[in-house]
Amino acid sequence: METSILNTINNPKDLRRIHASELPNLAKELRNYIIDIVATKEGHLGASLGVIELTIALHYIFDTPNDSLIWDVGHQAYPHKILTERKNVFHTNRQLNGLSGFPNRNESIYDSFGTGHSSTSISAALGMAMASKIKGDNNTQHIAVIGDASIASGMAFEGLNHAGVTDANLLVILNDNAMGIDPSVGALKEYLMKAKIGYKASGGNMIEALNFKYIGPIDGHNLPELLKELQRLQKIKGPKFLHIVTTKGKGLKKAEQEQIKYHAPGKFDKITGELKPSKNLNKAPKYQDVFGLTLLELAKKNKNIIGITPAMPTGSSLKYMIEVFPERAFDVGIAEQHAVTLAAGMATQGLIPYCTIYSTFLQRAYDQIIHDVALQNLPVVFCIDRAGLVGNDGATHHGVFDISFLRCIPNLIIFAPQNEIDLRNILYTVQLGNLKSPIAIRYPRGQGQNEHWKQPFQEIKIGVGRILKEGSHLAILTIGAIGTKINLIINDLPTGQKQRVAHYNLLFIKPLDILLLKQIFNKFDKIITIEDHVIKGGFGSSILEFSQEYNYINKQIEILGIPDKFVEHGTTDELLSSIDLDTENIKKLISSKL
């Protein structure tokens, strides 16, 4: 593919030497370059294709990296990375030891602020702008690019509210494409949709009411107009707001037509956009689909069941219930705090709210879990998807802290299913009417192992673990789906070693099965705990606390889990290997204890 203009650009200084009339051709080349690489290397496609023209215009007009540019969430930052000295290594994007899929301050001086979660850009850019003022710098510009789904989040409004009473050099650019990963929702979306290119929304302007200089909406794919407006805004002091309208997936027909699927489509044909067929022979369902389909099945019989998700109806598979029961299943937008307290309010009225949130995003609603749910002992069901390492999205998205931050909360039950059938059964159990406390159910990203997972429902007894294999010398204690992996490792040991290894899956991190643990500790002196979670404060820590509380001394307890560091991006297998949680290293450790 010929890329005559793009080949001459390594950084924004090179970009600014190009005549403005050549920029539309550069946009075509940059768009094709991203399509070319993401088609084979995978990644976030639609969001980046939608901001090609904006990215070029921003780096052309502003003095980056001296002017700070923050991409909210950051999955739209591929063109930014390519234009800022990373073009030649862009093919390593999201791969082990390669580029991060999100802006990362450790990666480039052009990444002013690390992102990955939504709605942080305005606060961060305002902080930088106010810092410049404090240091006597009245000229540096600070730009936050935020989508219409992210700006509806509470934190974004907090930033706007504060910025409006400052004189900081802040430019907020609203990239309005009516999409997050799923379509945007809520009253703000409806307000924004009333604004057409060239015409403000009728009935007053809420942004101007917050003391911002508002411009737009303008066509975010019209480079000459973008350049003109950004050049004008560069000279205006104080808080400014540019509203642009773009198309997610712009330039690839299939990505424009199927915006949810092409948010991160996997491998596809770069010419037609058609997805490449999967070579995966595993016919077991994804855990998210076990959740979504089971919840729908239960909701058909129990009218008190409610589904709630903050902006992840497809990713969580709550979409199945939303399609059938839109009056009982809700996508509340990127609003984790609201989602949790909404669920709490519903629980006070005798409903059974299932609040499904990715582990990494549940961090954003910690106070609500404590103050609004657990303190009042309300039986909210937290369905925590993407627990454990999630692979290529990296440190911002791994779900490896939830046990630690939930385990210390009174009244809260924590359950980790070993397989899809366990997940199905716990979803059934919590709606039987016996649940008097909140429960957190954590399950991993991706597929399970059971093709025939739709078994008749069985009630799970709260706080009771499971004996998977008897043994004589060494006890292995696992939690969650990693237990199935450990089963395979044990079965692969030589016969003599295999007979000496016992394996228990506790299922519940809280409450622990004290009776089972006493049996284990009375029998074994050597114990290994294994979890897909940080070691500090995790499942293994709870076993150490048990041994101390019940005065089990002289026990050799080894904890396997994620060490005290942020794990970066790569395939899940690569990441597990990097922290010695892969099959080979676990097998070696077990053998060494025998």
Side-chain angles (χ1 to χ4, degrees):
M1 181 180 67
E2 184 181 353
T3 54
S4 56
I5 303 175
L6 187 57
N7 279 341
T8 68
I9 297 170
N10 184 50
N11 57 47
K13 284 185 179 179
D14 297 333
L15 174 66
R16 294 173 199 129
R17 295 189 187 105
I18 295 173
H19 193 274
S21 62
E22 293 187 275
L23 295 181
N25 285 330
L26 173 62
K28 291 178 184 176
E29 292 181 12
L30 184 54
R31 187 166 271 117
N32 287 334
Y33 188 81
I34 290 172
I35 291 171
D36 240 24
I37 291 179
V38 177
T40 57
K41 300 296 184 180
E42 305 186 17
H44 293 105
L45 179 69
S48 287
L49 294 183
V51 295
I52 300 285
E53 289 81 8
L54 174 64
T55 307
I56 291 171
L58 285 169
H59 284 295
Y60 194 79
I61 297 298
F62 291 96
D63 183 26
T64 52
N66 296 316
D67 289 336
S68 57
L69 173 57
I70 302 175
W71 298 93
D72 202 272
V73 181
H75 54 217
Q76 76 281 58
Y78 292 2
H80 160 78
K81 293 201 174 202
I82 292 166
L83 295 177
T84 55
E85 302 179 352
R86 287 167 279 185
K87 176 180 63 184
N88 293 334
V89 290
F90 182 65
H91 63 280
T92 70
N93 186 48
R94 300 173 77 245
Q95 296 176 37
L96 186 69
N97 301 320
L99 293 180
S100 167
F102 300 92
N104 186 323
R105 280 169 53 83
N106 294 324
E107 187 177 286
S108 171
I109 59 171
Y110 292 94
D111 293 355
S112 302
F113 196 81
T115 52
H117 290 191
S118 85
S119 314
T120 62
S121 61
I122 297 173
S123 297
L126 177 60
M128 294 175 181
M130 292 174 68
S132 292
K133 285 279 187 180
I134 290 167
K135 294 190 290 187
D137 176 1
N138 295 311
N139 297 315
T140 300
Q141 302 289 321
H142 305 276
I143 305 115
V145 180
I146 187 168
D148 55 291
S150 294
I151 204 168
S153 178
M155 187 175 175
F157 271 94
E158 292 167 22
L160 290 170
N161 183 53
H162 185 188
V165 293
T166 73
D167 60 352
N169 280 336
L170 172 69
L171 170 59
V172 176
I173 299 177
L174 173 61
N175 176 33
D176 184 359
N177 61 18
M179 290 290 293
I181 295 175
D182 288 274
S184 303
V185 297
L188 180 61
K189 170 215 171 178
E190 293 180 1
Y191 170 82
L192 292 172
M193 289 183 73
K194 293 175 184 174
K196 305 297 182 184
I197 292 173
Y199 300 92
K200 296 180 183 178
S202 59
N205 187 294
M206 62 184 294
I207 303 300
E208 288 178 338
L210 292 172
N211 299 328
F212 277 75
K213 173 70 175 175
Y214 174 90
I215 296 91
I218 67 171
D219 182 354
H221 300 299
N222 185 328
L223 257 170
E225 190 170 9
L226 280 172
L227 294 170
K228 181 184 74 174
E229 289 298 346
L230 290 174
Q231 202 160 30
R232 187 167 70 85
L233 287 166
Q234 190 182 31
K235 299 169 185 173
I236 298 174
K237 301 296 183 183
K240 307 165 285 285
F241 192 101
L242 174 62
H243 183 175
I244 69 171
V245 177
T246 63
T247 300
K248 189 171 182 178
K250 179 73 172 177
L252 185 65
K253 188 175 180 181
K254 292 289 288 184
E256 292 183 33
Q257 293 172 337
E258 300 181 65
Q259 293 180 336
I260 297 174
K261 184 181 291 184
Y262 283 80
H263 173 77
K267 290 182 171 63
F268 61 93
D269 185 290
K270 67 181 182 181
I271 305 300
T272 66
E274 293 289 342
L275 298 184
K276 295 287 180 71
S278 173
K279 296 178 181 178
N280 184 6
L281 299 178
N282 183 1
K283 295 182 179 180
K286 293 180 178 179
Y287 275 91
Q288 68 188 58
D289 287 335
V290 174
F291 161 77
L293 294 169
T294 301
L295 190 65
L296 174 60
E297 184 180 348
L298 294 168
K300 288 177 178 178
K301 298 177 181 178
N302 188 337
K303 67 182 188 314
N304 288 324
I305 287 177
I306 302 293
I308 299 169
T309 185
M312 289 294 174
T314 299
S316 71
S317 292
L318 188 64
K319 64 180 182 180
Y320 297 121
M321 185 176 173
I322 291 174
E323 289 166 1
V324 179
F325 297 112
E327 73 285 1
R328 288 166 50 200
F330 308 98
D331 173 8
V332 300
I334 304 176
E336 292 85 1
Q337 294 173 317
H338 166 62
V340 170
T341 304
L342 179 72
M346 289 182 170
T348 67
Q349 302 305 302
L351 298 180
I352 308 170
Y354 288 72
C355 186
T356 177
I357 305 181
Y358 289 9
S359 172
T360 187
F361 300 142
L362 190 65
Q363 296 162 186
R364 297 158 65 92
Y366 193 50
D367 180 62
Q368 287 68 32
I369 297 168
I370 296 173
H371 182 271
D372 299 337
V373 177
L375 185 63
Q376 303 183 86
N377 205 23
L378 294 171
V380 173
V381 182
F382 293 105
C383 300
I384 307 174
D385 198 350
R386 273 45 169 199
L389 295 173
V390 297
N392 302 93
D393 281 341
T396 57
H397 283 64
H398 295 316
V400 296
F401 304 109
D402 53 270
I403 293 175
S404 297
F405 69 70
L406 294 175
R407 197 167 64 82
C408 59
I409 302 175
N411 295 334
L412 185 64
I413 300 165
I414 308 173
F415 177 84
Q418 184 186 335
N419 53 44
E420 307 94 308
I421 297 169
D422 287 342
L423 176 56
R424 177 173 166 81
N425 285 334
I426 196 68
L427 294 172
Y428 164 75
T429 299
V430 297
Q431 55 86 54
L432 291 175
N434 302 317
L435 185 68
K436 305 302 179 186
S437 298
I439 183 169
I441 305 165
R442 70 182 309 265
Y443 48 94
R445 178 179 184 268
Q447 288 177 281
Q449 301 294 326
N450 292 293
E451 183 180 345
H452 304 291
W453 59 278
K454 268 199 172 182
Q455 302 294 322
F457 288 118
Q458 292 184 4
E459 184 176 354
I460 288 177
K461 192 171 182 181
I462 302 298
V464 176
R466 174 182 293 154
I467 302 171
L468 296 174
K469 181 186 175 300
E470 297 281 8
S472 60
H473 186 75
L474 171 68
I476 297 178
L477 278 54
T478 57
I479 197 75
I482 201 168
T484 300
K485 173 180 176 177
I486 302 305
N487 261 351
L488 296 173
I489 292 173
I490 294 171
N491 287 334
D492 198 40
L493 292 171
T495 303
Q497 290 188 350
K498 187 189 310 182
Q499 292 172 350
R500 304 179 75 193
V501 180
H503 183 199
Y504 304 83
N505 192 292
L506 271 287
L507 295 175
F508 289 88
I509 299 114
K510 187 178 181 183
L512 289 169
D513 188 338
I514 300 299
L515 182 62
L516 179 60
L517 284 173
K518 285 182 176 179
Q519 292 172 4
I520 295 168
F521 274 73
N522 287 334
K523 181 176 179 180
F524 296 95
D525 290 327
K526 292 182 179 180
I527 296 166
I528 300 174
T529 70
I530 307 177
E531 60 194 296
D532 57 347
H533 185 274
V534 293
I535 291 171
K536 290 189 180 296
F539 166 64
S541 292
S542 73
I543 300 303
L544 288 177
E545 291 164 12
F546 163 84
S547 68
Q548 184 179 42
E549 182 179 351
Y550 288 93
N551 201 28
Y552 285 102
I553 59 174
N554 299 323
K555 299 291 181 181
Q556 296 179 34
I557 303 173
E558 183 148 358
I559 300 175
L560 295 189
I562 296 167
D564 189 23
K565 67 177 184 179
F566 288 107
V567 179
E568 294 301 331
H569 49 279
T571 67
T572 304
D573 285 344
E574 288 171 336
L575 298 179
L576 288 171
S577 181
S578 73
I579 56 174
D580 294 340
L581 271 183
D582 59 304
T583 296
E584 197 58 38
N585 276 297
I586 292 174
K587 192 174 180 180
K588 284 180 183 176
L589 177 68
I590 293 172
S591 295
S592 73
K593 299 295 181 182
L594 300 173

